[in-house]
Amino acid sequence: MTSPYERLFVRKMPNCLADLVNEGSDNGVPDPDNVGEALALMRSQEVPESKVHLTYTWINPCDEPVLWVKEHVHDYDEVLIWHGNDPENPDDLGAEIYFDIEGIRHTVTTSGSVYLPAGTRHCPLGFTRVDRPFRFSALSLSPNYGSDEHAPKP
């Protein structure tokens, strides 16, 4: 018997690069060589009842600074999450991220996250250096990803 809840699972993360309207060469930001495939952990396209859009990406080593995401704002809350891959030292990101909030630059070298209330202008986001791969996720408290320049995709 199949569970009536099977429809709520994402068992194969699809590529969701087309959702990410503030990244990539189509949006004026060259595709960085060190950024892996954008995968959807949860979104309304796979789970229509979902009220969130959650992505997952591996960030690979680089020696030179890399710009990844251009400045933008959402009409929903968002949480950005980054975490290293060393189980002996989970706080060590193994990288240095730069990230602006309302034009103020922040530097991150530890695993963690940031909460961005709706209407908060944020980014650019990039990497000063990446010594070893780490995971990056964006949790949009909306079923679809969108920003001030781009309407959410249904």
Side-chain angles (χ1 to χ4, degrees), residues 4-5 38 41 55 62 69 79 82 94-95 111 113-114 116 127 131 140 152:
Y5 303 103
L41 279 168
T55 63
C62 66
V69 184
V79 178
W82 46 87
S111 296
S113 61
V114 63
L116 300 164
F127 318 106
D131 302 326
S140 299

Side-chain angles (χ1 to χ4, degrees), residues 34 59-68 93-100 105-109 124-131 134:
N34 72 313
I59 308 301
N60 295 301
C62 66
D63 295 328
E64 300 291 323
V66 173
L67 170 64
W68 183 28
L93 184 61
E96 182 176 303
I97 299 172
Y98 66 85
F99 179 73
D100 291 8
R105 177 71 37 112
H106 300 268
T107 301
V108 176
T109 58
L125 182 151
F127 318 106
T128 305
R129 62 173 175 71
V130 179
D131 302 326
F134 70 92

Side-chain angles (χ1 to χ4, degrees), residues 19-99:
D19 295 358
L20 306 179
V21 296
N22 295 297
E23 296 87 355
S25 55
D26 290 344
N27 299 296
V29 179
D31 293 316
D33 293 336
N34 72 313
V35 174
E37 183 178 17
L39 300 171
L41 279 168
M42 182 59 63
R43 61 184 185 161
S44 63
Q45 289 91 326
E46 285 72 44
V47 180
E49 296 96 329
S50 177
K51 305 280 189 263
V52 301
H53 186 280
L54 176 60
T55 63
Y56 174 86
T57 304
W58 276 100
I59 308 301
N60 295 301
C62 66
D63 295 328
E64 300 291 323
V66 173
L67 170 64
W68 183 28
V69 184
K70 69 179 187 174
E71 181 181 68
H72 60 279
V73 65
H74 305 288
D75 62 0
Y76 52 79
D77 296 352
E78 182 178 41
V79 178
L80 301 181
I81 307 152
W82 46 87
H83 43 98
N85 65 12
D86 182 354
E88 301 300 317
N89 189 0
D91 290 331
D92 182 15
L93 184 61
E96 182 176 303
I97 299 172
Y98 66 85
F99 179 73

